[in-house]
Amino acid sequence: MAIVDRFYIQGQRDFYRTKKTRRIIHESTNPFNSSSFRGKEWLRGFNNSYFKNLRRNKSERNVTRST
């Protein structure tokens, strides 16, 4: 694993790390400057996890509707 992948993987992990305050769920925000290389890699990892989760939820909904 290259050092560059560290920020990408951190973004993927941060997608699943949430903090709950009473009824509100807070997601992580980008800890790096959004215009920096680190920030862009973090965002790429975060977005990748988001879209994987979205596809998984859509497929689960389709399975429950068809049964």
Side-chain angles (χ1 to χ4, degrees), residues 18-34:
T18 56
K19 295 177 184 175
K20 189 172 183 181
T21 308
R22 295 182 189 150
R23 291 185 225 148
I24 300 170
I25 297 174
H26 301 278
E27 291 186 1
S28 300
T29 58
N30 192 342
F32 306 105
N33 186 345
S34 61

mmCIF file with all atom_site columns, all heavy atoms in Angstrom, residues 18-34:
data_model
loop_
_atom_site.group_PDB
_atom_site.id
_atom_site.type_symbol
_atom_site.label_atom_id
_atom_site.label_alt_id
_atom_site.label_comp_id
_atom_site.label_asym_id
_atom_site.label_entity_id
_atom_site.label_seq_id
_atom_site.pdbx_PDB_ins_code
_atom_site.Cartn_x
_atom_site.Cartn_y
_atom_site.Cartn_z
_atom_site.occupancy
_atom_site.B_iso_or_equiv
_atom_site.pdbx_formal_charge
_atom_site.auth_seq_id
_atom_site.auth_comp_id
_atom_site.auth_asym_id
_atom_site.auth_atom_id
_atom_site.pdbx_PDB_model_num
ATOM 1   N N   . THR A 1 18 ? -19.765 7.285  12.574 1.00 0.00 ? 18 THR A N   1
ATOM 2   C CA  . THR A 1 18 ? -20.737 8.345  12.845 1.00 0.00 ? 18 THR A CA  1
ATOM 3   C C   . THR A 1 18 ? -20.813 8.559  14.349 1.00 0.00 ? 18 THR A C   1
ATOM 4   O O   . THR A 1 18 ? -20.490 7.672  15.130 1.00 0.00 ? 18 THR A O   1
ATOM 5   C CB  . THR A 1 18 ? -22.131 7.991  12.314 1.00 0.00 ? 18 THR A CB  1
ATOM 6   O OG1 . THR A 1 18 ? -22.533 6.743  12.879 1.00 0.00 ? 18 THR A OG1 1
ATOM 7   C CG2 . THR A 1 18 ? -22.131 7.888  10.803 1.00 0.00 ? 18 THR A CG2 1
ATOM 8   N N   . LYS A 1 19 ? -21.230 9.731  14.733 1.00 0.00 ? 19 LYS A N   1
ATOM 9   C CA  . LYS A 1 19 ? -21.428 10.047 16.140 1.00 0.00 ? 19 LYS A CA  1
ATOM 10  C C   . LYS A 1 19 ? -22.899 10.384 16.331 1.00 0.00 ? 19 LYS A C   1
ATOM 11  O O   . LYS A 1 19 ? -23.465 11.151 15.566 1.00 0.00 ? 19 LYS A O   1
ATOM 12  C CB  . LYS A 1 19 ? -20.559 11.224 16.557 1.00 0.00 ? 19 LYS A CB  1
ATOM 13  C CG  . LYS A 1 19 ? -19.085 10.927 16.474 1.00 0.00 ? 19 LYS A CG  1
ATOM 14  C CD  . LYS A 1 19 ? -18.270 12.136 16.823 1.00 0.00 ? 19 LYS A CD  1
ATOM 15  C CE  . LYS A 1 19 ? -16.800 11.827 16.635 1.00 0.00 ? 19 LYS A CE  1
ATOM 16  N NZ  . LYS A 1 19 ? -15.960 12.993 16.846 1.00 0.00 ? 19 LYS A NZ  1
ATOM 17  N N   . LYS A 1 20 ? -23.500 9.783  17.336 1.00 0.00 ? 20 LYS A N   1
ATOM 18  C CA  . LYS A 1 20 ? -24.908 10.025 17.587 1.00 0.00 ? 20 LYS A CA  1
ATOM 19  C C   . LYS A 1 20 ? -25.063 10.914 18.817 1.00 0.00 ? 20 LYS A C   1
ATOM 20  O O   . LYS A 1 20 ? -24.524 10.620 19.877 1.00 0.00 ? 20 LYS A O   1
ATOM 21  C CB  . LYS A 1 20 ? -25.631 8.698  17.804 1.00 0.00 ? 20 LYS A CB  1
ATOM 22  C CG  . LYS A 1 20 ? -27.115 8.826  17.854 1.00 0.00 ? 20 LYS A CG  1
ATOM 23  C CD  . LYS A 1 20 ? -27.792 7.484  17.863 1.00 0.00 ? 20 LYS A CD  1
ATOM 24  C CE  . LYS A 1 20 ? -29.285 7.655  17.830 1.00 0.00 ? 20 LYS A CE  1
ATOM 25  N NZ  . LYS A 1 20 ? -29.983 6.390  17.871 1.00 0.00 ? 20 LYS A NZ  1
ATOM 26  N N   . THR A 1 21 ? -25.786 12.007 18.645 1.00 0.00 ? 21 THR A N   1
ATOM 27  C CA  . THR A 1 21 ? -26.100 12.923 19.731 1.00 0.00 ? 21 THR A CA  1
ATOM 28  C C   . THR A 1 21 ? -27.614 12.968 19.837 1.00 0.00 ? 21 THR A C   1
ATOM 29  O O   . THR A 1 21 ? -28.272 13.521 18.961 1.00 0.00 ? 21 THR A O   1
ATOM 30  C CB  . THR A 1 21 ? -25.553 14.334 19.435 1.00 0.00 ? 21 THR A CB  1
ATOM 31  O OG1 . THR A 1 21 ? -24.174 14.222 19.113 1.00 0.00 ? 21 THR A OG1 1
ATOM 32  C CG2 . THR A 1 21 ? -25.732 15.250 20.606 1.00 0.00 ? 21 THR A CG2 1
ATOM 33  N N   . ARG A 1 22 ? -28.120 12.354 20.859 1.00 0.00 ? 22 ARG A N   1
ATOM 34  C CA  . ARG A 1 22 ? -29.565 12.199 21.037 1.00 0.00 ? 22 ARG A CA  1
ATOM 35  C C   . ARG A 1 22 ? -30.158 11.521 19.802 1.00 0.00 ? 22 ARG A C   1
ATOM 36  O O   . ARG A 1 22 ? -29.865 10.383 19.530 1.00 0.00 ? 22 ARG A O   1
ATOM 37  C CB  . ARG A 1 22 ? -30.221 13.523 21.354 1.00 0.00 ? 22 ARG A CB  1
ATOM 38  C CG  . ARG A 1 22 ? -29.768 14.081 22.677 1.00 0.00 ? 22 ARG A CG  1
ATOM 39  C CD  . ARG A 1 22 ? -30.450 15.357 23.009 1.00 0.00 ? 22 ARG A CD  1
ATOM 40  N NE  . ARG A 1 22 ? -29.805 15.934 24.187 1.00 0.00 ? 22 ARG A NE  1
ATOM 41  C CZ  . ARG A 1 22 ? -29.743 17.212 24.410 1.00 0.00 ? 22 ARG A CZ  1
ATOM 42  N NH1 . ARG A 1 22 ? -30.293 18.067 23.577 1.00 0.00 ? 22 ARG A NH1 1
ATOM 43  N NH2 . ARG A 1 22 ? -29.151 17.651 25.495 1.00 0.00 ? 22 ARG A NH2 1
ATOM 44  N N   . ARG A 1 23 ? -30.962 12.241 19.034 1.00 0.00 ? 23 ARG A N   1
ATOM 45  C CA  . ARG A 1 23 ? -31.568 11.648 17.828 1.00 0.00 ? 23 ARG A CA  1
ATOM 46  C C   . ARG A 1 23 ? -30.834 12.010 16.553 1.00 0.00 ? 23 ARG A C   1
ATOM 47  O O   . ARG A 1 23 ? -31.208 11.544 15.481 1.00 0.00 ? 23 ARG A O   1
ATOM 48  C CB  . ARG A 1 23 ? -33.013 12.112 17.703 1.00 0.00 ? 23 ARG A CB  1
ATOM 49  C CG  . ARG A 1 23 ? -33.905 11.541 18.762 1.00 0.00 ? 23 ARG A CG  1
ATOM 50  C CD  . ARG A 1 23 ? -35.334 11.940 18.494 1.00 0.00 ? 23 ARG A CD  1
ATOM 51  N NE  . ARG A 1 23 ? -35.920 12.380 19.755 1.00 0.00 ? 23 ARG A NE  1
ATOM 52  C CZ  . ARG A 1 23 ? -36.840 13.301 19.867 1.00 0.00 ? 23 ARG A CZ  1
ATOM 53  N NH1 . ARG A 1 23 ? -37.295 13.914 18.812 1.00 0.00 ? 23 ARG A NH1 1
ATOM 54  N NH2 . ARG A 1 23 ? -37.307 13.627 21.039 1.00 0.00 ? 23 ARG A NH2 1
ATOM 55  N N   . ILE A 1 24 ? -29.822 12.847 16.634 1.00 0.00 ? 24 ILE A N   1
ATOM 56  C CA  . ILE A 1 24 ? -29.124 13.329 15.439 1.00 0.00 ? 24 ILE A CA  1
ATOM 57  C C   . ILE A 1 24 ? -27.864 12.505 15.210 1.00 0.00 ? 24 ILE A C   1
ATOM 58  O O   . ILE A 1 24 ? -27.084 12.269 16.127 1.00 0.00 ? 24 ILE A O   1
ATOM 59  C CB  . ILE A 1 24 ? -28.756 14.816 15.588 1.00 0.00 ? 24 ILE A CB  1
ATOM 60  C CG1 . ILE A 1 24 ? -30.028 15.648 15.791 1.00 0.00 ? 24 ILE A CG1 1
ATOM 61  C CG2 . ILE A 1 24 ? -27.985 15.296 14.378 1.00 0.00 ? 24 ILE A CG2 1
ATOM 62  C CD1 . ILE A 1 24 ? -29.765 17.073 16.179 1.00 0.00 ? 24 ILE A CD1 1
ATOM 63  N N   . ILE A 1 25 ? -27.668 12.068 13.976 1.00 0.00 ? 25 ILE A N   1
ATOM 64  C CA  . ILE A 1 25 ? -26.465 11.318 13.602 1.00 0.00 ? 25 ILE A CA  1
ATOM 65  C C   . ILE A 1 25 ? -25.559 12.247 12.816 1.00 0.00 ? 25 ILE A C   1
ATOM 66  O O   . ILE A 1 25 ? -25.965 12.814 11.806 1.00 0.00 ? 25 ILE A O   1
ATOM 67  C CB  . ILE A 1 25 ? -26.832 10.073 12.773 1.00 0.00 ? 25 ILE A CB  1
ATOM 68  C CG1 . ILE A 1 25 ? -27.679 9.129  13.616 1.00 0.00 ? 25 ILE A CG1 1
ATOM 69  C CG2 . ILE A 1 25 ? -25.575 9.381  12.284 1.00 0.00 ? 25 ILE A CG2 1
ATOM 70  C CD1 . ILE A 1 25 ? -28.219 7.951  12.849 1.00 0.00 ? 25 ILE A CD1 1
ATOM 71  N N   . HIS A 1 26 ? -24.330 12.394 13.279 1.00 0.00 ? 26 HIS A N   1
ATOM 72  C CA  . HIS A 1 26 ? -23.360 13.279 12.636 1.00 0.00 ? 26 HIS A CA  1
ATOM 73  C C   . HIS A 1 26 ? -22.345 12.444 11.868 1.00 0.00 ? 26 HIS A C   1
ATOM 74  O O   . HIS A 1 26 ? -21.748 11.533 12.420 1.00 0.00 ? 26 HIS A O   1
ATOM 75  C CB  . HIS A 1 26 ? -22.628 14.128 13.671 1.00 0.00 ? 26 HIS A CB  1
ATOM 76  C CG  . HIS A 1 26 ? -23.536 14.991 14.483 1.00 0.00 ? 26 HIS A CG  1
ATOM 77  N ND1 . HIS A 1 26 ? -23.992 16.199 14.024 1.00 0.00 ? 26 HIS A ND1 1
ATOM 78  C CD2 . HIS A 1 26 ? -24.086 14.824 15.701 1.00 0.00 ? 26 HIS A CD2 1
ATOM 79  C CE1 . HIS A 1 26 ? -24.780 16.745 14.938 1.00 0.00 ? 26 HIS A CE1 1
ATOM 80  N NE2 . HIS A 1 26 ? -24.855 15.931 15.963 1.00 0.00 ? 26 HIS A NE2 1
ATOM 81  N N   . GLU A 1 27 ? -22.146 12.760 10.608 1.00 0.00 ? 27 GLU A N   1
ATOM 82  C CA  . GLU A 1 27 ? -21.120 12.097 9.813  1.00 0.00 ? 27 GLU A CA  1
ATOM 83  C C   . GLU A 1 27 ? -19.840 12.902 9.873  1.00 0.00 ? 27 GLU A C   1
ATOM 84  O O   . GLU A 1 27 ? -19.850 14.092 10.167 1.00 0.00 ? 27 GLU A O   1
ATOM 85  C CB  . GLU A 1 27 ? -21.577 11.956 8.365  1.00 0.00 ? 27 GLU A CB  1
ATOM 86  C CG  . GLU A 1 27 ? -22.698 10.973 8.197  1.00 0.00 ? 27 GLU A CG  1
ATOM 87  C CD  . GLU A 1 27 ? -23.038 10.746 6.744  1.00 0.00 ? 27 GLU A CD  1
ATOM 88  O OE1 . GLU A 1 27 ? -22.380 11.335 5.876  1.00 0.00 ? 27 GLU A OE1 1
ATOM 89  O OE2 . GLU A 1 27 ? -23.952 9.982  6.490  1.00 0.00 ? 27 GLU A OE2 1
ATOM 90  N N   . SER A 1 28 ? -18.742 12.246 9.574  1.00 0.00 ? 28 SER A N   1
ATOM 91  C CA  . SER A 1 28 ? -17.442 12.914 9.587  1.00 0.00 ? 28 SER A CA  1
ATOM 92  C C   . SER A 1 28 ? -17.353 13.924 8.451  1.00 0.00 ? 28 SER A C   1
ATOM 93  O O   . SER A 1 28 ? -17.970 13.751 7.405  1.00 0.00 ? 28 SER A O   1
ATOM 94  C CB  . SER A 1 28 ? -16.327 11.894 9.409  1.00 0.00 ? 28 SER A CB  1
ATOM 95  O OG  . SER A 1 28 ? -16.348 10.963 10.441 1.00 0.00 ? 28 SER A OG  1
ATOM 96  N N   . THR A 1 29 ? -16.584 14.953 8.675  1.00 0.00 ? 29 THR A N   1
ATOM 97  C CA  . THR A 1 29 ? -16.292 15.908 7.620  1.00 0.00 ? 29 THR A CA  1
ATOM 98  C C   . THR A 1 29 ? -14.837 15.763 7.222  1.00 0.00 ? 29 THR A C   1
ATOM 99  O O   . THR A 1 29 ? -14.039 15.189 7.956  1.00 0.00 ? 29 THR A O   1
ATOM 100 C CB  . THR A 1 29 ? -16.564 17.352 8.080  1.00 0.00 ? 29 THR A CB  1
ATOM 101 O OG1 . THR A 1 29 ? -15.767 17.606 9.231  1.00 0.00 ? 29 THR A OG1 1
ATOM 102 C CG2 . THR A 1 29 ? -18.029 17.548 8.400  1.00 0.00 ? 29 THR A CG2 1
ATOM 103 N N   . ASN A 1 30 ? -14.508 16.293 6.083  1.00 0.00 ? 30 ASN A N   1
ATOM 104 C CA  . ASN A 1 30 ? -13.155 16.189 5.557  1.00 0.00 ? 30 ASN A CA  1
ATOM 105 C C   . ASN A 1 30 ? -12.182 16.910 6.498  1.00 0.00 ? 30 ASN A C   1
ATOM 106 O O   . ASN A 1 30 ? -12.284 18.118 6.696  1.00 0.00 ? 30 ASN A O   1
ATOM 107 C CB  . ASN A 1 30 ? -13.104 16.799 4.160  1.00 0.00 ? 30 ASN A CB  1
ATOM 108 C CG  . ASN A 1 30 ? -11.841 16.479 3.428  1.00 0.00 ? 30 ASN A CG  1
ATOM 109 O OD1 . ASN A 1 30 ? -10.845 16.084 4.011  1.00 0.00 ? 30 ASN A OD1 1
ATOM 110 N ND2 . ASN A 1 30 ? -11.882 16.645 2.115  1.00 0.00 ? 30 ASN A ND2 1
ATOM 111 N N   . PRO A 1 31 ? -11.221 16.174 7.093  1.00 0.00 ? 31 PRO A N   1
ATOM 112 C CA  . PRO A 1 31 ? -10.294 16.809 8.020  1.00 0.00 ? 31 PRO A CA  1
ATOM 113 C C   . PRO A 1 31 ? -9.191  17.601 7.319  1.00 0.00 ? 31 PRO A C   1
ATOM 114 O O   . PRO A 1 31 ? -8.425  18.295 7.973  1.00 0.00 ? 31 PRO A O   1
ATOM 115 C CB  . PRO A 1 31 ? -9.703  15.629 8.786  1.00 0.00 ? 31 PRO A CB  1
ATOM 116 C CG  . PRO A 1 31 ? -9.790  14.495 7.849  1.00 0.00 ? 31 PRO A CG  1
ATOM 117 C CD  . PRO A 1 31 ? -11.028 14.733 7.028  1.00 0.00 ? 31 PRO A CD  1
ATOM 118 N N   . PHE A 1 32 ? -9.121  17.485 5.998  1.00 0.00 ? 32 PHE A N   1
ATOM 119 C CA  . PHE A 1 32 ? -8.072  18.157 5.233  1.00 0.00 ? 32 PHE A CA  1
ATOM 120 C C   . PHE A 1 32 ? -8.687  19.293 4.415  1.00 0.00 ? 32 PHE A C   1
ATOM 121 O O   . PHE A 1 32 ? -9.894  19.350 4.216  1.00 0.00 ? 32 PHE A O   1
ATOM 122 C CB  . PHE A 1 32 ? -7.385  17.164 4.289  1.00 0.00 ? 32 PHE A CB  1
ATOM 123 C CG  . PHE A 1 32 ? -6.863  15.947 4.991  1.00 0.00 ? 32 PHE A CG  1
ATOM 124 C CD1 . PHE A 1 32 ? -7.516  14.730 4.881  1.00 0.00 ? 32 PHE A CD1 1
ATOM 125 C CD2 . PHE A 1 32 ? -5.722  16.013 5.772  1.00 0.00 ? 32 PHE A CD2 1
ATOM 126 C CE1 . PHE A 1 32 ? -7.046  13.605 5.534  1.00 0.00 ? 32 PHE A CE1 1
ATOM 127 C CE2 . PHE A 1 32 ? -5.240  14.893 6.425  1.00 0.00 ? 32 PHE A CE2 1
ATOM 128 C CZ  . PHE A 1 32 ? -5.901  13.684 6.314  1.00 0.00 ? 32 PHE A CZ  1
ATOM 129 N N   . ASN A 1 33 ? -7.847  20.168 3.929  1.00 0.00 ? 33 ASN A N   1
ATOM 130 C CA  . ASN A 1 33 ? -8.287  21.240 3.049  1.00 0.00 ? 33 ASN A CA  1
ATOM 131 C C   . ASN A 1 33 ? -8.859  20.616 1.770  1.00 0.00 ? 33 ASN A C   1
ATOM 132 O O   . ASN A 1 33 ? -8.235  19.752 1.176  1.00 0.00 ? 33 ASN A O   1
ATOM 133 C CB  . ASN A 1 33 ? -7.101  22.151 2.721  1.00 0.00 ? 33 ASN A CB  1
ATOM 134 C CG  . ASN A 1 33 ? -7.506  23.365 1.945  1.00 0.00 ? 33 ASN A CG  1
ATOM 135 O OD1 . ASN A 1 33 ? -8.598  23.447 1.404  1.00 0.00 ? 33 ASN A OD1 1
ATOM 136 N ND2 . ASN A 1 33 ? -6.609  24.319 1.881  1.00 0.00 ? 33 ASN A ND2 1
ATOM 137 N N   . SER A 1 34 ? -10.030 21.035 1.360  1.00 0.00 ? 34 SER A N   1
ATOM 138 C CA  . SER A 1 34 ? -10.707 20.392 0.221  1.00 0.00 ? 34 SER A CA  1
ATOM 139 C C   . SER A 1 34 ? -9.976  20.592 -1.105 1.00 0.00 ? 34 SER A C   1
ATOM 140 O O   . SER A 1 34 ? -10.185 19.827 -2.043 1.00 0.00 ? 34 SER A O   1
ATOM 141 C CB  . SER A 1 34 ? -12.137 20.898 0.100  1.00 0.00 ? 34 SER A CB  1
ATOM 142 O OG  . SER A 1 34 ? -12.144 22.285 -0.120 1.00 0.00 ? 34 SER A OG  1
#
